[in-house]
Amino acid sequence: MRRDVRLRIITEAIEGVIPGAVPAFTTVQVAERYPSSEATKNAWSGSPRGLAEKVFTALYGRPRPVEGSPLARADAAKGTGDLVGQLAPLLHGDRELTTAPWYPARPGDLVHIHYEQTGESAAFGETYIVGDAVGHGFLSMQLLAHTMTGSAQEIEGMVGCYSSDASDDPLYGVWFEAGPQRLTIVRDGRAVHVGGAR
């Protein structure tokens, strides 16, 4: 399912109130003041996306969550011959990643991927650690642990597919293939991205 275009339009309209502002660093504040007083009585502040979701909910009901990774949504649109539908999830996924306040990845970041149960395969997770690929200006991402059960032969080739020794952006592949909704990214002991909470 693609992200609702109406929510995207509302969000971009709010983000565009300040021309040239970086959306990831933009906040919105709504204040109530009485004409006879300069003091603020009540106030709300939040992100442009938060305000867009409030407006969207008032107009159309709660937005449905985005399902599937950007790559899976683009592949689904390919079957219908919808060129805009193919490009939109990829462009949105790129923008969502590259404008995140915690982007780019840094050495020491932990990246956890949650995989839902499919068929007879139980749900499991993989945790990777981002490291410095010394001397090249690149980053590595190595499998730290996984919770897949089974024999070594059954597990071989099923985990660690996002490991890389040197990459200019180790998060890019996992963001587009597994999907941001499956990722939890931890930096300095704090979760900076919790995909399951979306």
Side-chain angles (χ1 to χ4, degrees), residues 36-59:
S36 60
S37 171
E38 300 219 3
T40 300
K41 178 169 169 105
N42 293 305
W44 176 90
S45 64
S47 68
R49 181 175 173 90
L51 179 58
E53 287 180 0
K54 287 182 180 294
V55 171
F56 183 94
T57 300
L59 293 171

Side-chain angles (χ1 to χ4, degrees), residues 6-32:
R6 298 170 297 182
L7 179 57
R8 180 176 51 83
I9 291 168
I10 295 168
T11 303
E12 289 176 356
I14 294 168
E15 291 170 346
V17 168
I18 302 172
V22 177
F25 302 120
T26 305
T27 60
V28 178
Q29 183 172 11
V30 179
E32 175 188 22

Side-chain angles (χ1 to χ4, degrees), residues 80-179:
T80 64
D82 179 4
L83 183 58
V84 173
Q86 291 175 55
L87 292 174
L90 300 175
L91 295 172
H92 174 72
D94 179 77
R95 180 173 172 226
E96 190 177 28
L97 173 63
T98 59
T99 61
W102 46 264
Y103 181 84
R106 295 182 194 159
D109 286 355
L110 296 174
V111 180
H112 180 78
I113 308 166
H114 170 74
Y115 297 97
E116 295 84 9
Q117 178 179 349
T118 57
E120 294 182 17
S121 298
F124 73 99
E126 294 180 299
T127 303
Y128 293 83
I129 187 163
V130 176
D132 185 12
V134 180
H136 296 66
F138 293 111
L139 296 173
S140 65
M141 192 160 87
Q142 300 301 322
L143 181 66
L144 194 59
H146 67 83
T147 59
M148 181 176 253
T149 57
S151 68
Q153 291 85 7
E154 294 170 330
I155 293 174
E156 188 178 348
M158 298 293 290
V159 297
C161 63
Y162 294 107
S163 294
S164 73
D165 292 329
S167 171
D168 59 342
D169 193 343
L171 294 179
Y172 212 78
V174 71
W175 187 269
F176 278 86
E177 293 173 20

